[in-house]
Amino acid sequence: MSDLSLGSDRGALREKARKLDEADPLSAKRAEFVLDDDTVYLDGNSLGALPAVVPGRMADVVARQWGRLRIRSWTESGWWTAPERVGDRIAPLVGAAPGQVVAGDSTSVNVFKALVGAVRMAGEGRDEIVVDATTFPTDGYIAESAARLTGRRLVAADPAGIVDALGPRTAVALVNHVDYRSGRLHDLPGVTAAAHEAGALVVWDLCHSAGALPVGLDEHGVDLAVGCTYKYLNGGPGSPAFLYVRRDLQSRFDSPLPGWNSHRDPFGMSGRYEPADGAVRGRVGTPDILSMLALEAALEVWDGVPIEAVRDKSLALTDFFLECVAAYVRPGRVESITPARHGERGSQVALRCAGAGAVMETLIARGVVGDFRHPDVLRFGFTPLYVSFADTERAARVLAEVVAAGT
Amino acid sequence: MSDLSLGSDRGALREKARKLDEADPLSAKRAEFVLDDDTVYLDGNSLGALPAVVPGRMADVVARQWGRLRIRSWTESGWWTAPERVGDRIAPLVGAAPGQVVAGDSTSVNVFKALVGAVRMAGEGRDEIVVDATTFPTDGYIAESAARLTGRRLVAADPAGIVDALGPRTAVALVNHVDYRSGRLHDLPGVTAAAHEAGALVVWDLCHSAGALPVGLDEHGVDLAVGCTYKYLNGGPGSPAFLYVRRDLQSRFDSPLPGWNSHRDPFGMSGRYEPADGAVRGRVGTPDILSMLALEAALEVWDGVPIEAVRDKSLALTDFFLECVAAYVRPGRVESITPARHGERGSQVALRCAGAGAVMETLIARGVVGDFRHPDVLRFGFTPLYVSFADTERAARVLAEVVAAGT
């Protein structure tokens, strides 16, 4: 490709970006985030950008709720009920009716609750926990611990063939909805149905899908799910994770972390544990209120946003990025490991690239922020609430320059 | 007692308060907290007051670290290492050398890590977990879960006779350093030595002693300890708890929650779990950064404060409160269940009182904030960094008026 044709590509793709941004029904949302024009932020699949509503809310939580009301805020500022209130704000984004999601603890801790809870529901006869072999590491480590503590066997299965690993011995399968490295979207309805056919339960990890695409937990009869809130939900660094337990399983959910916050009458201070009904049963100890209320404020940006519109824009963004990369980057220099088929794609593009670590450092220095995943992957996350098509074109263009300079 | 003699008591006790405040070496610390003169805040044993440094720090964490640096803050703002950095700030307050304390998760979750970890260190032959029968409920619930998951038996023992419950079957004893209801201080050196003599380990819950009195974890050879940071450490509502694992036990600490943050090489993203050395091994998932950094800022008020000075003032405050209560409150109307002996007293006074719930409501309405604990206890926490002797006299005086009016 000559420089001349590249130049005309650029003009055409910039013009296309301009038109796509103009037609974008979510474009007004960008103003609700703190962004700087110098940076293209494509790492919202690791840490979402700051919603503009959060700083003022946090100042009030700290200075007035904690500083002036102090202990009274547990009731007067609604601190005590925040975990289930925040859960109900997350619920519609993952296709759950109210009363099934609770926020709190880390994803790892919630994976533990979900897996041990599922094993106990599955009963004694089922002695295997199946986990997808390409999982984000913490899920695998925690699954191994859950297996060890419940006397089960851990089975790692390739996610493409996970259905074949399910059988009469399976207690529960733990599957990532979207692979954190490749961005591959797994078949939630199909795997859930297959697990149920095998008489097993399934726990979905939604870290890379909550807030990025429709999940349909209720619609597809998912048993349990966990997810983080600091990626596409923009809850802030290390913001509380969430746990979903399907309503008709809640009365059988027997948590391995039965802290006092999950007691039917926590202030009765009884020495005997009696679990609360509903999503509250997934709580453990006193919730991290500052992080929880920052998350609650952050979730306000979702008011009136249909997750289907987010998905439409997400696919348009990743399509357009792949188009720009194909046009700008020297053939063979990078290879997309993100599926081309929409039905198999999350909301990120992962490019295999020689020297990926150094390439990402240079990209960041030039204002295009993605991240590097071991050993050779450049990850670019597309967060439809605040990433534009112009950002996307610029990212591909800078990437092309960086890899051209480096070769 | 006639009104006349009560009047002269008042004069004398107010004068005594004035002199005590004048001589108080910690009196300048009060200015480092956000307080209002209308309120006597004696609930710092439930939620510590706001340190004045926190609002500005949180504004910077939110607006600059999250809002502008975003993902870069994990390294550039020191987010990733915050749990062990904050742990090292807590360490001297509980008598621990650096590298043994890590902050994160709730107290309940840390009790779980500590107990299962201790059971695994104790070995197969020891099949009992001993817990003090008057424990804060969550410790008992979690201990029961730990016993169930590790195939151990839970033994509840009166804390006064807990030493008698320790024997060759004991894997670990979980004991509260200060009883949350009565304020009774348990014998940490004695029980620890007895546990060791029995070949068992001991986990201390420091929720009501960390920041209130010298704990001496290293000095007394404590094995593991947990505690919260939102009481005497003023870390904010639901701020991260902490876990102490004695240095020479760390390599044997086998966490039941081996999340990726505790991996030797977390960003290697290996499917195989290899625990990190040191306090880091107690981490689990991504830490709640907003709450963690509020706590870190809050801990700055301890710079240059010897915990022995805190203890001296704490005992002087509770002594003085008991003196004022004895002088002001009609005999027989309230009864202290907090030990008179200094060696058995924490940093609160608990008064048994008929109609305690309604009495506390009225006290709060009149600006004296303590709390009510089921079924008949008025709890008053004395936080030496910001409670004055004048506060203490006023609290007793208002209490006397309230209970007199109510009878």
Side-chain angles (χ1 to χ4, degrees), chain B residues 8 21 25 27 119 147 152 187 197-198 262 265 276 282 334 346 385:
Chain B
S8 75
D21 280 326
S27 62
V119 163
R152 263 61 175 182
D187 176 13
E197 204 163 315
S262 69
D265 177 19
V334 301
L385 297 190

Side-chain angles (χ1 to χ4, degrees), chain A residues 141 145 148 238 254 256 270 288, chain B residues 138 141 145 148 238 254 256 270 288:
Chain A
Y141 306 156
S145 175
R148 175 181 173 192
D254 183 2
S270 165
D288 262 311
Chain B
T138 211
Y141 307 157
S145 176
R148 176 180 172 193
D254 182 3
S270 163
D288 263 309

Side-chain angles (χ1 to χ4, degrees), chain A residues 62-200:
Chain A
V62 173
R64 188 181 59 85
Q65 295 187 12
W66 174 12
R68 287 173 49 203
L69 298 178
R70 289 183 284 262
I71 195 72
R72 291 164 50 190
S73 275
W74 279 107
T75 46
E76 290 178 32
S77 303
W79 289 355
W80 185 260
T81 52
E84 43 278 21
R85 194 170 66 237
V86 171
D88 278 346
R89 268 210 177 258
I90 295 167
L93 298 171
V94 291
Q100 302 173 103
V101 177
V102 68
D105 304 304
S106 64
T107 304
S108 301
V109 169
N110 282 296
V111 168
F112 185 74
K113 294 179 212 169
L115 281 182
V116 175
V119 163
R120 288 173 173 171
M121 289 185 213
E124 284 305 317
R126 294 179 171 267
D127 67 349
E128 290 182 352
I129 296 176
V130 175
V131 61
D132 72 87
T134 55
T135 184
F136 184 77
T138 211
D139 296 56
Y141 306 156
I142 294 289
E144 194 170 356
S145 175
R148 175 181 173 192
L149 283 165
T150 59
R152 264 60 176 184
R153 200 169 76 92
L154 190 67
V155 178
D158 186 88
I162 205 156
V163 164
D164 302 324
L166 307 174
R169 295 182 61 177
T170 313
V172 56
L174 169 65
V175 197
N176 287 263
H177 195 192
V178 174
D179 184 89
Y180 79 98
R181 191 186 267 120
S182 67
R184 178 178 291 275
L185 174 65
H186 295 139
D187 177 13
L188 182 142
V191 174
T192 302
H196 291 172
E197 204 164 315

